[in-house]
């Protein structure tokens, strides 16, 4: 690994430069340098001067107060003078400051970048190895096992990063979003990341947006990135949190109000006097889980809590520059929001959301009652804290305060208690300060600095598949089978503090604010309110150096993909549209109810195939419910009338040269940003996805891969389609922005029926369809 500079801020003291190596941290006094985007991006200064100039142009054009979201977004426009700007209508062409990719999605993103033929990325970019580490026994052993199992993938990403100028964070460094917050996020940043929880960076005042790998390729290739101009939903915060209420409860409450699709097409912007009463990492927690309501991203205005965090993570120079540009980093008085939600933090009750969806919100006082009515298992099988959403030093310290009190009374967790540090820096610091040891004494197992059970990387042994059970965690997403691939697991999402309290009792019907616990001596006691330092008093311990910078010249580095590999596969271009209507297409599956990207392309054990399109396509629609029979992974092959697994039937149609479509319900493709949910249908012969409504990222991913994402002009037309229908899309030669597509249904009895479909494609996106994919179109334009 290469050495790297690490700035260590001492309150009230001089700037200290530390040379950080795998052998330790050596410090010496030095003059503070001018603010760069990060300590790893030498020569890349903060973009505030350019952003301010662009913003001045926008202010003159719009001549009205601007929200924070608008200021940051519009100041990154490729053409601020000529760009059409209408919320919810215009397609903005933007110039993001950087790109971040996690290892599962980076494989396909880098394979697509390699296919582009470009020599080097145009903007600062990083790869983070966090998704492929399976939780089994504990951090050290799990990490070593992951390195052995995934060496082929890590080697590919490491060498591809070196060749094309991408920074590489080794396995064990931590979760991508925590690494971004600690090292790369800054107020006013515009970043895209190939993970749906990229908005975590909004806790430091950046617009950090989750995308598919093809979008990342655009930015890395120096092509303006396209985003439909978002609406802005304002969340006004007043008062201050107290007792058991935590930042997590803000977003759990908002999710209950707006639902999983209420933020679609909008940025969630927090404002009001209550903002200053939330820590920076707490703001990150809130922004992170904004992905669960479909929001484009979420953001907080620059304030003193962000400044403190920047200082603590060695970026005081960024804080000073941000202070000078505060007008760019805060909303104007009277800025117009499309919708406003008001929350009084002083009266906000702790919440627990779930099961099976992150917007089913329960105040803790109602959880037990609601669980009994619904027949959910009250006994908690496993409790889990950490993840990219809640793994800050403050989170861990507050949980340790609860654990200490329980231990003082002679009791510990009544359930297995798993702890996931968000980064190597957090892990090293909580080890140094005794927090990790307290959690171990409480019964905890400290897992690797990785995603682990949050994204299905959990080798769970305590229940059998199909066994009904309850788990509670401080994660962000709790769709069916998300954590352990068991569809009968009832997963509840809450704050790490409540997870810890519920773990002591081991039951859902426990409210630590009012209910007592019996100590080892038989006496009843009530837990005190949790407490913990927002930032470590002794500063952060950086831990082991895990970053590898790309060399100045990577042209001689060889990136090899073995043609016999079952984990990596070079991409072949998708076929171009032949200019004809799509006639008599078969319906692969008509999905009933919720269909997230997890349903379309499952994670967990399938993560190992994220770099091999053909192999991972064997997970297509495995957990989507077939409307025809109410079953999972069982559809009728219309060519031979035999029932089979969805991927098998799709392959049979492809082999026979039969094009197919999939039919879906509301908010189709919500959840993770994984573009495999678009790549797989395209690879196996799909041509269109027809649904009631789409989630933002997935709709874009479908367009990028040359599929037609279409919505019913009348949602009730979903009911007119039968699974044995044949579908024709006619008049495609005249496909144009805003123009409906005619769809002819041919029923099994020979009767036909016509319905109309909508689309949101602009002229450029229609060219992607005609070329077969956005990547194909990029190559056409490069000729």
């Amino acid at each position: 690994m290469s050495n790297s500079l690490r700035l260590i801020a001492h309150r009230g003291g001089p700037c200290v430069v530390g040379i950080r190596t795998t052998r330790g941290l050596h410090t010496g006094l030095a003059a503070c340098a001018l603010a760069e985007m990060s300590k790893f991006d030498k020569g890349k200064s903060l973009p505030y001067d350019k952003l301010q100039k662009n913003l001045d142009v926008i202010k003159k054009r719009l001549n009205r107060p601007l929200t924070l979201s608008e200021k940051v977004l519009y100041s990154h426009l490729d053409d601020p003078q000529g760009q059409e700007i209408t919320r919810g209508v215009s397609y903005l062409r933007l110039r993001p400051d950087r790109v971040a990719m996690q290892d599962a999605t980076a494989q396909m993103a880098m394979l697509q970048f390699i296919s582009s033929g470009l020599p080097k990325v145009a903007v600062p970019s990083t790869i983070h190895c966090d998704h492929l580490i399976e939780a089994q026994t504990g951090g050290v052993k799990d990490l070593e096992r992951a390195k052995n199992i995934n060496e082929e993938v890590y080697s590919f990403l490491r060498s591809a990063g070196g060749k094309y100028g991408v920074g590489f964070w080794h396995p064990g460094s931590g979760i991508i979003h925590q690494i971004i917050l600690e090292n790369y996020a800054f107020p006013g940043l515009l970043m895209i990341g190939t993970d749906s929880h990229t908005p975590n960076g909004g806790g430091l005042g950046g617009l950090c947006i989750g995308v598919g790998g093809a979008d990342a390729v655009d930015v890395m290739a120096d092509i303006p990135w396209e985003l439909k101009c978002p609406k802005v939903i304002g969340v006004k915060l007043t008062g201050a949190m107290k007792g058991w209420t935590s930042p997590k409860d803000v977003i759990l409450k908002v999710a209950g109000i707006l639902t999983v699709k209420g933020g679609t097409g909008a940025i969630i912007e927090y404002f009001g006097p209550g903002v200053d009463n939330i820590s920076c990492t707490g703001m990150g927690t809130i922004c992170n889980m904004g992905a669960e309501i479909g929001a484009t991203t979420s953001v907080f205005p620059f304030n003193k809590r962000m400044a403190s965090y920047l200082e603590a993570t060695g970026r005081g120079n960024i804080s000073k520059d941000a202070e000078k540009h505060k007008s760019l980093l805060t909303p104007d008085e009277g800025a117009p929001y499309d919708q406003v939600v008001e929350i009084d933090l002083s009266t906000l009750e702790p919440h627990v959301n779930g099961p099976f969806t992150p917007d089913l919100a329960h105040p803790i006082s109602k959880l037990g009652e609601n669980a009994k009515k619904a027949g959910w298992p009250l006994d908690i099988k496993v409790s889990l804290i950490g993840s990219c959403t809640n793994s800050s030093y403050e989170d861990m310290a507050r949980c340790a305060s609860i654990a200490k009190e329980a231990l003082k009374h002679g009791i510990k967790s009544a359930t297995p208690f798993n702890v996931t540090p968000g980064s190597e820096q957090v892990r090293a610091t909580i080890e140094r300060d005794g927090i990790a040891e307290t959690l171990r004494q409480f019964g905890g197992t400290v897992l690797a600095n990785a995603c682990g059970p949050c994204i299905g990387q959990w080798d769970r042994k305590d229940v059998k598949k199909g066994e009904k059970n309850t788990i509670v965690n401080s994660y962000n997403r709790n769709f069916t089978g998300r954590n352990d691939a068991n569809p009968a697991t009832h997963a509840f999402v809450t704050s790490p503090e409540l997870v810890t309290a519920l773990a002591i009792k081991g039951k859902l019907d426990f409210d630590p604010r009012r209910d007592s616990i019996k100590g080892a001596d038989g006496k009843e006691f009530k837990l005190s309110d949790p407490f913990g330092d927002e930032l470590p008093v002794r500063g952060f311990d950086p831990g082991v150096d895990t970053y590898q910078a790309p060399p100045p010249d990577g042209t001689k580095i060889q990136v090899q993909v073995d043609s016999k590999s079952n984990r990596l596969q070079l991409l072949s271009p998708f076929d171009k549209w032949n200019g004809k209507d799509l006639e008599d297409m078969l319906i692969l599956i008509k999905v009933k109810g919720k269909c997230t990207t997890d349903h379309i392309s499952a994670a967990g054990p399938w993560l190992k195939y994220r770099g091999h399109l053909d192999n991972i396509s064997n997970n297509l629609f495995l957990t989507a419910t077939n409307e025809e029979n109410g079953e999972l992974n069982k559809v009728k092959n219309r060519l031979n009338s035999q029932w089979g697994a969805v991927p098998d039937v799709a392959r049979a149609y492809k082999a026979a040269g039969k094009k197919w479509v999939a039919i879906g319900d509301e908010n189709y493709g919500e959840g993770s940003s994984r573009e495999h949910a678009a790549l797989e249908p395209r690879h196996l012969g799909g041509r269109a996805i027809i649904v009631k409504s789409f989630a933002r990222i997935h709709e874009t991913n479908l367009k990028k891969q040359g599929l037609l994402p279409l919505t019913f002009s009348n949602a009730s037309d979903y009911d007119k389609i039968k699974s044995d229908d044949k579908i024709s899309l006619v008049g495609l030669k005249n496909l144009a922005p805003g123009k409906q597509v005619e769809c002819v249904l041919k029923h099994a009895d020979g009767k036909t029926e016509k319905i109309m479909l909508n689309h949101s494609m602009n002229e450029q996106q229609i060219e992607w369809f005609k070329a077969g994919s956005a990547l194909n179109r990029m190559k056409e334009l490069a000729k």
Side-chain angles (χ1 to χ4, degrees):
M1 299 181 196
S2 61
N3 295 343
S4 57
L5 289 177
R6 180 173 185 80
L7 298 180
I8 310 296
H10 292 272
R11 296 174 192 242
C15 180
V16 177
V17 176
I19 305 299
R20 185 176 171 217
T21 73
T22 53
R23 294 186 179 181
L25 183 69
H26 308 282
T27 61
L29 296 180
C32 291
L34 294 174
E36 294 174 306
M37 283 175 57
S38 87
K39 52 185 168 282
F40 303 115
D41 297 312
K42 296 305 173 186
K44 298 284 186 180
S45 298
L46 289 171
Y48 289 149
D49 289 343
K50 178 184 177 182
L51 299 183
Q52 190 62 59
K53 288 178 183 178
N54 288 349
L55 183 59
D56 291 342
V57 173
I58 297 297
K59 276 184 165 288
K60 287 179 182 177
R61 286 185 56 196
L62 298 184
N63 194 31
R64 62 167 174 80
L66 297 176
T67 66
L68 167 62
S69 308
E70 292 179 308
K71 288 182 177 183
V72 177
L73 198 64
Y74 302 163
S75 64
H76 282 85
L77 285 168
D78 183 53
D79 179 14
Q81 186 64 59
Q83 171 72 60
E84 179 189 346
I85 302 172
T86 305
R87 287 184 190 172
V89 176
S90 309
Y91 278 91
L92 306 179
R93 292 171 66 78
L94 299 154
R95 292 287 185 176
D97 299 304
R98 69 179 313 115
V99 173
M101 300 168 281
Q102 41 95 336
D103 51 358
T105 52
Q107 295 171 65
M108 195 56 66
M110 292 309 297
L111 286 166
Q112 290 178 86
F113 187 82
I114 291 170
S115 296
S116 75
L118 295 169
K120 194 170 184 177
V121 298
V123 301
S125 304
T126 49
I127 293 169
H128 304 259
C129 296
D130 62 358
H131 270 57
L132 301 179
I133 303 169
E134 185 180 51
Q136 272 193 342
T137 57
V140 175
K141 290 184 178 179
D142 291 348
L143 178 59
E144 286 307 310
R145 179 172 175 270
K147 287 179 178 178
N148 291 331
I149 293 173
N150 302 310
E151 176 50 35
E152 178 187 13
V153 172
Y154 293 148
S155 178
F156 165 72
L157 293 174
R158 189 166 53 244
S159 59
K163 185 174 185 66
Y164 297 105
V166 179
F168 182 77
W169 287 85
H170 284 259
S173 57
I175 306 172
I176 177 172
H177 313 303
Q178 185 66 23
I179 296 296
I180 294 297
L181 199 70
E182 292 175 355
N183 298 281
Y184 297 110
F186 60 83
L189 167 73
L190 178 62
M191 183 187 84
I192 64 168
T194 59
D195 190 279
S196 57
H197 294 105
T198 299
N200 191 81
L204 253 179
L207 287 186
C208 303
I209 302 175
V211 299
D215 277 3
V217 172
D218 281 354
V219 177
M220 292 190 294
D222 203 25
I223 296 172
W225 174 59
E226 193 174 74
L227 176 72
K228 195 167 192 177
C229 188
K231 296 182 178 180
V232 185
I233 297 174
V235 179
K236 184 178 181 180
L237 302 178
T238 59
M241 293 176 294
K242 57 187 177 182
W244 285 85
T245 303
S246 75
K248 185 67 163 279
D249 298 305
V250 175
I251 187 57
L252 295 177
K253 177 71 173 179
V254 170
I257 295 169
L258 293 180
T259 77
V260 289
K261 63 177 182 176
T264 303
I267 292 175
I268 310 297
E269 181 174 315
Y270 294 86
F271 70 102
V275 165
D276 290 338
N277 296 320
I278 303 174
S279 67
C280 178
T281 51
M283 290 186 272
T285 292
I286 294 167
C287 291
N288 177 296
M289 203 174 156
E292 311 324 314
I293 54 176
T296 300
T297 192
S298 301
V299 68
F300 278 82
F302 177 64
N303 65 2
K304 60 185 180 182
R305 308 301 278 270
M306 294 182 190
S308 296
Y309 185 77
L310 286 167
E311 289 280 352
T313 52
R315 294 174 288 169
N317 48 358
I318 293 179
S319 175
K320 291 181 178 67
D321 271 18
E323 188 65 43
K324 294 174 186 175
H325 295 86
K326 199 164 185 177
S327 63
L328 169 68
L329 308 173
T330 50
D332 291 333
E333 188 70 31
Y337 295 99
D338 293 282
Q339 177 183 350
V340 174
V341 175
E342 294 194 27
I343 295 177
D344 180 359
L345 301 177
S346 302
T347 59
L348 179 63
E349 186 175 347
H351 275 61
V352 181
N353 287 22
F356 306 123
T357 184
D359 60 350
L360 185 56
H362 315 276
I364 185 63
S365 60
K366 301 289 186 183
L367 177 62
E369 176 186 338
N370 294 346
K372 290 171 185 174
K373 286 180 181 178
W376 302 327
L378 289 179
D379 289 338
I380 300 168
K381 286 287 188 180
V382 186
S383 308
L384 310 98
I385 65 169
S387 85
C388 66
T389 320
N390 276 112
S391 58
S392 68
Y393 183 85
E394 180 183 33
D395 290 329
M396 297 297 174
R398 283 168 64 86
C399 291
S401 76
I402 300 166
K404 276 184 180 178
E405 186 168 18
L407 291 168
K408 187 176 72 173
H409 287 273
I411 58 175
K412 56 177 66 176
S413 177
T415 74
F417 189 78
N418 291 329
V419 181
T420 304
S423 69
E424 169 61 9
Q425 180 167 270
V426 168
R427 183 209 63 79
T429 306
I430 65 172
E431 287 286 1
R432 181 200 67 194
D433 292 352
I435 292 172
E437 182 57 30
T438 296
L439 296 175
R440 288 191 189 94
Q441 291 175 10
F442 180 66
T445 298
V446 179
L447 302 175
N449 313 322
C451 299
C454 185
I455 47 87
Q457 286 284 49
W458 185 14
D459 186 20
R460 190 178 179 193
K461 303 290 190 183
D462 63 302
V463 296
K464 296 178 181 178
K465 187 71 67 70
E467 182 180 338
K468 194 174 177 180
N469 74 101
T470 284
I471 65 173
V472 293
N473 61 61
S474 67
Y475 303 162
N476 43 41
R477 191 164 283 162
N478 60 346
F479 301 137
T480 303
R482 167 79 179 184
N483 304 124
D484 60 2
N486 180 5
T489 293
H490 294 54
F492 292 86
V493 174
T494 186
S495 67
E497 296 95 322
L498 268 188
V499 171
T500 308
L502 290 169
I504 296 170
K505 191 70 173 179
K507 290 184 174 294
L508 286 180
D509 58 345
F510 174 66
D511 182 347
R513 302 170 309 161
R514 66 183 186 195
D515 298 335
S516 298
I517 303 171
K518 185 178 290 186
D521 59 3
K523 295 180 180 179
E524 297 278 338
F525 73 98
K526 283 181 64 177
L527 290 169
S528 304
D529 293 344
F531 65 92
D533 290 328
E534 176 179 338
L535 296 164
V537 175
R538 297 163 59 191
F540 282 108
D541 183 331
V544 178
D545 185 13
T546 53
Y547 177 69
Q548 181 172 311
D553 181 6
T555 53
K556 294 182 180 179
I557 295 176
Q558 295 295 314
V559 180
Q560 296 182 348
V561 176
D562 187 344
S563 60
K564 297 178 182 178
S565 172
N566 70 349
R567 297 198 61 176
L568 294 167
Q569 179 187 49
L570 292 174
L571 297 175
S572 299
F574 290 132
D575 60 312
K576 293 180 63 173
W577 176 54
N578 62 10
K580 299 178 181 179
D581 288 339
L582 296 169
E583 297 183 328
D584 290 336
M585 292 186 290
L586 300 171
I587 296 174
L588 176 65
I589 185 172
K590 181 183 179 184
V591 179
K592 179 181 179 182
K594 186 184 283 286
C595 189
T596 71
T597 50
D598 281 74
H599 293 86
I600 305 166
S601 175
W606 292 95
L607 285 171
K608 62 178 173 286
Y609 297 124
R610 284 284 182 88
H612 197 294
L613 180 55
D614 193 56
N615 281 348
I616 199 170
S617 293
N618 289 321
N619 76 357
L620 182 64
F621 288 118
L622 289 191
T623 58
T625 301
N626 182 8
E627 191 264 352
E628 185 175 14
N629 57 10
E631 297 187 47
L632 308 184
N633 198 29
K634 188 177 182 181
V635 296
K636 182 173 280 190
N637 183 330
R638 304 300 167 184
L639 301 180
N640 59 19
S641 297
Q642 300 295 309
W643 293 90
V646 186
D648 295 341
V649 174
R651 289 186 185 278
Y653 290 167
K654 181 180 180 180
K658 297 291 185 181
K659 298 178 176 63
W660 55 263
V661 302
I663 311 298
D665 213 315
E666 296 278 9
N667 207 32
Y668 179 93
E670 69 174 279
S672 296
S673 68
R674 64 193 66 161
E675 65 180 341
H676 295 78
L679 283 161
E680 292 173 34
R682 184 73 167 94
H683 175 64
L684 293 184
R687 285 297 182 267
I689 308 293
I690 305 171
V691 302
K692 293 181 182 178
S693 64
F694 284 105
R696 175 191 64 85
I697 300 176
H698 186 62
E699 183 179 24
T700 300
N701 287 344
L702 292 170
K703 294 175 183 178
K704 287 280 188 177
Q705 303 307 334
L707 282 153
L708 288 173
L710 305 169
T711 56
F712 298 106
S713 60
N714 186 341
S716 63
D717 286 345
Y718 169 90
D719 299 316
K720 293 179 180 179
I721 296 179
K722 308 303 178 188
S723 294
D724 57 357
D725 285 349
K726 290 183 178 179
I727 289 183
S728 296
L729 302 177
V730 299
L732 292 181
K733 285 185 178 179
N734 300 315
L735 187 64
K739 185 176 182 179
Q740 290 186 321
V741 174
E742 182 179 326
C743 176
V744 178
L745 311 177
K746 186 183 290 184
H747 300 306
D749 61 6
K751 294 180 180 179
T752 62
E753 199 169 356
K754 184 175 80 172
I755 63 175
M756 301 306 293
L757 304 174
N758 298 327
H759 70 86
S760 64
M761 291 181 288
N762 59 23
E763 291 181 0
Q764 176 177 264
Q765 293 165 350
I766 291 172
E767 291 302 317
W768 297 344
F769 164 69
K770 292 178 179 178
S773 71
L775 191 57
N776 287 357
R777 182 59 178 159
M778 182 194 298
K779 292 179 180 178
E780 288 178 355
L781 294 173
K783 290 179 181 178

